[in-house]
Amino acid sequence: MTGGTSGGMEARSKQWDDKKIEGLNKKKEQYEAELESLGSIRDMHLKESEASGKISGLEKKIQYAEIEKGSIEDKLSNLGHEKKTIKERIECISPELKKLNDAVNKSNAEIRKLERRINEITDRIYRDFSKSVGVANIREYEENRLKAAQNIAEERLNLSSQLSKLKYQLEYEQNRDMSSRILELEASLSALEKDLKRVQDREAAAKVAAEKSAEEVNQLKEEVKEWKSKSEECEKEIQEWKKKASAATTNISKLIRLINSKKAQIGQLDVQKQEILDKCELEQINLPIISDPMDTDNSVPGPHFDFDQLSRALKDKRHSDRDKIEGDFKQKIDALVAEIERTAPNLKALDQYEALLEKERAVTEEFEAVRKEEREKTQRFNEVKQRRYQLFMDAFNHISGNIDKIYKQLTKSNTHPLGGTAYLNLENDDDPFLHGIKYTAMPPTKRFRDMEQLSGGEKTVAALALLFSIHSYKPSPFFILDEVDAALDNLNVAKVAGFIRSKSCEGARTSQDADGGNGFQSIVISLKDTFYDKAEALVGVYRDSERGCSRTLTFDLTKYRES
């Protein structure tokens, strides 16, 4: 019993300890989860520093806002007093204004009556003149004259402004020390004149050489034509000779076969002759030999026999053998002739020749077709080249015509109402693709300088003018401008922002520009607040440290647009 009791107590004690351990484990897991949610100490410090930075920034903003609030309240109080005084003044002036308006309306009615009467009288007086000039009445003629006078006045204003610029430039040039510069220019001018003379001499020599070469080329072309005609004649003769040669080769092959057959016959006769001699030796028949082989017409070497000196029996025998031999030879000759007739000559030679002619004709036709295709491709290439030139010149003429207007809009101000000047020039008018385009921009009150000598802001304004002028030719749906105001001062930033707003606001989108351009949408990335107040909406990008990513904030400014 003692052992059993003690065993039960140990089991109960172990069970109680396990429950306690499970609870502690749960608490441990809970504390670990809280630690994970809080993050590491470094993250806590980062959050704390970020929060402190935000708090300090907000506190500064609050201070600025309170200062602005005080100033705005003072302005509001002053504006309230001014509003009261203006209302009192309006109440005092309104009866007088009403009387004056009534008097003005009466006088306007009388003036309109008088104007109608005057117009009728003037129309009656100038009726003949109006008919001769081709207008409805004299007022239309005066309006046309007034418009012409206004245009002349505007041109005079432009000319006067240009004259003033030229005067300033002339004074500047007169104040400069130009003597040394003039000497240098005179020296360079003399050198250039010498070079020009040399170039003219070279040009004259080149012209003479070109004329000579042209004459030589013409002569060579005539010679080429003559040689072509001669070559065609030679080709015809060659074809005829080829035909004759093929016929001659066939005849030669026939003769060679005949000669070979004759040689074979002679060899057979020599063998038969040797057999006859051997037989005569066996039969002890003495054959008479001709002492002088020159008496015979036979040129074959060896002993020559005189068969006439033989006896009659031998002659008869010889004739019988000869007839037999002749009969054998005739049979052999007939067999050979039959074999020759069976083995006909190459009758396909003419067919092969015709096939070669047909092949040559096909190759010639193919060559002519290729030449025709080459001419067509050249013509198409020239058409595409002309089309490319026409499209380029259309774009260039449009852009060069609008770039000066856009540059003036970007650079004009109250002190400089005319703005600057910008224009484009082609380095090669005949073939613009072989050379470049020269872009010249002159800011207000600045003399002519190369584009490399302009400042960063001036280059930016010139580049934007070129960009907007290109857009006027081929409008795009929207622009994305990434910190184009980085090199601009506040004045130029305001000008560029105003120009973009005038081209991208609702008014420009609903109606075309007065200058003939098109409106557009624009997304501008900028760090300057001058752009902000001209925008229709703001999009801010900030870092979300909790999520470790970037987030955006949007703000619509159309609700707060100035009336």
Side-chain angles (χ1 to χ4, degrees), residues 274-497:
Q274 188 66 35
E275 289 177 355
I276 291 167
L277 291 173
D278 294 337
K279 190 175 181 181
C280 290
E281 288 180 357
L282 290 171
E283 293 177 359
Q284 294 181 356
I285 297 170
N286 294 320
L287 296 175
I289 298 171
I290 297 171
S291 61
D292 189 4
M294 296 300 291
D295 293 338
T296 64
D297 295 331
N298 195 354
S299 60
V300 179
H304 298 280
F305 302 97
D306 188 5
F307 295 100
D308 294 332
Q309 295 179 8
L310 292 173
S311 63
R312 187 175 183 84
L314 292 174
K315 284 181 179 181
D316 294 335
K317 186 177 180 182
R318 184 176 65 83
H319 283 296
S320 62
D321 292 337
R322 181 179 179 183
D323 293 335
K324 184 180 179 181
I325 291 167
E326 285 180 357
D328 294 337
F329 273 111
K330 282 182 181 180
Q331 291 178 359
K332 289 180 180 180
I333 287 167
D334 293 334
L336 290 172
V337 168
E339 186 177 359
I340 288 168
E341 289 177 355
R342 284 197 305 272
T343 59
N346 188 10
L347 298 177
K348 295 182 180 180
L350 293 175
D351 296 334
Q352 292 176 357
Y353 178 70
E354 293 294 332
L356 290 173
L357 285 177
E358 187 66 26
K359 187 176 181 181
E360 182 187 5
R361 193 178 302 110
V363 171
T364 306
E365 291 177 356
E366 186 179 358
F367 175 71
E368 292 296 331
V370 170
R371 286 187 65 182
K372 183 178 179 182
E373 185 179 0
E374 187 265 339
R375 287 194 294 270
E376 292 176 354
K377 293 291 178 65
T378 304
Q379 185 178 1
R380 287 182 62 190
F381 173 76
N382 292 327
E383 291 175 357
V384 172
K385 187 177 180 181
Q386 183 65 27
R387 178 65 176 163
R388 180 185 70 165
Y389 175 78
Q390 188 64 37
L391 292 174
F392 176 82
M393 291 306 297
D394 292 342
F396 176 78
N397 292 329
H398 179 85
I399 294 166
S400 62
N402 287 336
I403 192 168
D404 186 58
K405 298 178 184 178
I406 296 171
Y407 188 72
K408 288 183 185 298
Q409 293 179 9
L410 290 173
T411 56
K412 67 181 179 180
S413 60
N414 295 326
T415 57
H416 307 291
L418 297 176
T421 304
Y423 54 88
L424 297 173
N425 285 328
L426 288 174
E427 293 182 358
N428 188 353
D429 295 332
D430 296 330
D431 196 351
F433 299 100
L434 294 177
H435 298 82
I437 301 171
K438 188 170 182 60
Y439 181 24
T440 304
M442 289 186 290
T445 68
K446 295 287 184 70
R447 61 185 180 85
F448 172 78
R449 288 188 297 179
D450 291 333
M451 190 66 73
E452 291 81 7
Q453 297 178 357
L454 297 178
S455 63
E458 292 170 346
K459 288 180 181 178
T460 302
V461 174
L464 288 174
L466 180 60
L467 177 65
F468 293 134
S469 61
I470 293 171
H471 171 265
S472 67
Y473 180 68
K474 292 290 185 181
S476 59
F478 59 88
F479 274 116
I480 298 177
L481 304 175
D482 187 4
E483 296 188 14
V484 296
D485 56 352
L488 301 177
D489 55 3
N490 292 328
L491 181 61
N492 287 320
V493 169
K495 292 178 184 178
V496 173

Side-chain angles (χ1 to χ4, degrees), residues 207-218:
K207 285 182 179 178
V208 173
E211 291 175 356
K212 291 182 180 178
S213 61
E215 292 176 357
E216 291 178 357
V217 168
N218 293 326

Side-chain angles (χ1 to χ4, degrees), residues 518-541:
N518 295 321
F520 55 82
Q521 295 178 342
S522 60
I523 300 172
V524 182
I525 301 169
S526 177
L527 299 176
K528 296 184 179 181
D529 55 357
T530 309
F531 257 111
Y532 302 164
D533 57 0
K534 297 289 191 299
E536 293 183 352
L538 297 179
V539 179
V541 182

Side-chain angles (χ1 to χ4, degrees), residues 4-111:
T5 304
S6 62
M9 291 295 291
E10 288 177 358
R12 285 195 295 275
S13 63
K14 286 181 181 178
Q15 187 176 1
W16 182 81
D17 292 334
D18 290 337
K19 289 181 179 179
K20 189 175 182 180
I21 288 167
E22 287 177 359
L24 292 173
N25 286 328
K26 289 180 179 179
K27 288 183 179 180
K28 179 183 176 183
E29 292 175 355
Q30 184 179 357
Y31 292 148
E32 287 179 351
E34 290 178 357
L35 286 172
E36 288 179 357
S37 63
L38 292 173
S40 63
I41 297 171
R42 184 171 178 275
D43 294 334
M44 294 294 291
H45 285 302
L46 290 173
K47 290 181 180 179
E48 184 180 359
S49 61
E50 289 178 358
S52 61
K54 290 180 180 179
I55 290 166
S56 61
L58 292 172
E59 287 176 353
K60 289 181 181 179
K61 288 182 179 179
I62 290 167
Q63 291 176 1
Y64 294 148
E66 288 177 354
I67 294 167
E68 289 180 357
K69 181 181 177 182
S71 62
I72 290 167
E73 287 177 354
D74 294 334
K75 289 179 181 179
L76 286 173
S77 62
N78 293 327
L79 291 171
H81 292 301
E82 290 179 0
K83 183 178 180 182
K84 287 180 182 179
T85 54
I86 290 167
K87 283 183 179 179
E88 292 173 357
R89 183 67 176 166
I90 289 168
E91 290 175 356
C92 295
I93 293 171
S94 57
E96 296 178 359
L97 180 63
K98 189 175 181 180
K99 292 179 181 179
L100 292 172
N101 286 329
D102 295 335
V104 168
N105 291 328
K106 290 179 181 178
S107 61
N108 286 331
E110 292 177 357
I111 288 166

